[in-house]
Amino acid sequence: MNALAREPLVPFYRPVSTECALFETAHAKGLPLLLKGPTGCGKTRFVEHMAAKLGRPLYTVACHDDLSAADLIGRYLLRGGATEWVDGPLTRAVREGAICYLDEVVEARKDVTVVLHPLTDNRRTLMIDRTGEELVAPPGFMLVASYNPGYQNILKRLKPSTRQRFLSISFTFPDPVTEAAVVARESGLAEARVQPLVRLAGHIRALSGMDLEEGVSTRLLIYAASLIAAGMALDRALEATVIEPLTDEPDVAQALRDLVASVYG
């Protein structure tokens, strides 16, 4: 063995329940998985962790309003004067037996879910109309999707016929002890200095009657702790990572500053 060879790095993730065991079983059985939870609570990191742990390639697609089925499957492109078929990320994942992760799947166009249906039942097939191929997903392929239920509306909602094709896990923010340990681990800031950040996040998430679409995410806490660990003043770090990202309203921003003052004295 080459002395310089290294084992693949497994992204850090601290389980909060049985989600890792469920993912492993779903992967072994070829079952699709849907992750539900607020922005920045660890859904993407969880998928990255599990893909590395299982030794599977991972294709991540950030879904958006203009994402079409062709973006996932592939299309013909003109290269060097010749027309050449180029696989999209979903097709590559099926061919390779990889994990395909569709982040915020409800943001994609409706024709995307039609393409996914044959991959989420006993057929496990992907039809490529443009080439006439019908790919059968090999063992190892897994379809994982996520969305934030808090952002759902009438126009952007997973139909029951789609949701019921997936196993599902609900994610939320970790308990304070776990969240403090995660933020300290990821940022390099001492856990004792992270704990007030976690208390601040808890107060913000518990607020009602304020113009906040969401509470502060674990991701933002890691950003804040990273800046503080690098020597930035606390007030500047929190302004950049908590207050400004959460609101554009001056009165709400001031209320958040007052909350910071009450937590930090």
Side-chain angles (χ1 to χ4, degrees):
M1 179 182 292
N2 189 329
L4 297 179
R6 295 289 186 272
E7 291 296 322
L9 180 64
V10 177
F12 175 74
Y13 175 81
R14 177 168 291 194
V16 297
S17 185
T18 60
E19 67 271 23
C20 293
L22 179 58
F23 192 106
E24 289 181 357
T25 302
H27 180 263
K29 296 294 185 180
L31 301 175
L33 184 62
L34 183 64
L35 312 180
K36 305 185 296 182
T39 301
C41 69
K43 301 187 297 296
T44 298
R45 174 58 66 91
F46 170 63
V47 177
E48 293 171 346
H49 171 85
M50 293 306 302
K53 184 178 179 181
L54 294 170
R56 305 310 307 162
L58 174 63
Y59 290 92
T60 297
V61 180
C63 298
H64 53 79
D65 289 339
D66 295 326
L67 185 78
S68 67
D71 294 322
L72 290 180
I73 295 174
R75 51 172 50 90
Y76 283 104
L77 297 177
L78 188 62
R79 290 185 174 178
T83 302
E84 177 183 340
W85 173 261
V86 178
D87 284 341
L90 179 61
T91 302
R92 293 197 296 272
V94 172
R95 291 192 196 278
E96 298 174 20
I99 295 172
C100 185
Y101 174 47
L102 305 180
D103 187 20
E104 297 296 343
V105 66
V106 294
E107 298 295 331
R109 284 167 33 174
K110 291 184 179 180
D111 62 329
V112 167
T113 56
V114 175
V115 169
L116 300 180
H117 282 185
L119 283 169
T120 56
D121 58 29
N122 62 300
R123 291 171 289 178
R124 283 174 57 84
T125 58
L126 176 65
M127 185 66 195
I128 307 177
D129 292 333
R130 299 293 298 275
T131 65
E133 290 181 271
E134 185 178 39
L135 303 180
V136 178
F141 171 78
M142 182 179 183
L143 182 64
V144 184
S146 73
Y147 74 101
N148 181 350
Y151 283 167
Q152 283 201 108
N153 57 44
I154 294 175
L155 297 177
K156 292 184 178 181
R157 181 182 296 272
L158 278 184
K159 294 181 178 179
S161 59
T162 300
R163 287 204 311 270
Q164 292 185 29
R165 292 174 177 271
F166 289 80
L167 303 180
S168 187
I169 304 175
S170 287
F171 278 69
T172 188
F173 298 112
D175 64 84
V177 172
T178 299
E179 189 165 35
V182 168
V183 173
R185 164 67 166 71
E186 292 291 283
S187 67
L189 187 66
E191 193 165 332
R193 298 183 68 191
V194 167
Q195 289 168 353
L197 284 175
V198 173
R199 288 200 301 274
L200 174 64
H203 287 308
I204 293 174
R205 292 164 188 164
L207 290 175
S208 60
M210 290 184 64
D211 187 21
L212 291 177
E213 291 185 353
E214 282 194 341
V216 61
S217 67
T218 302
R219 180 188 298 123
L220 285 178
L221 294 186
I222 292 170
Y223 291 169
S226 297
L227 294 182
I228 296 167
M232 183 175 288
L234 176 69
D235 57 344
R236 291 181 59 197
L238 293 180
E239 189 77 19
T241 60
V242 175
I243 296 170
E244 291 293 342
L246 288 185
T247 184
D248 296 323
E249 300 297 327
D251 56 338
V252 177
Q254 187 55 53
L256 291 175
R257 294 185 190 102
D258 293 343
L259 186 56
V260 169
S262 70
V263 170
Y264 281 90

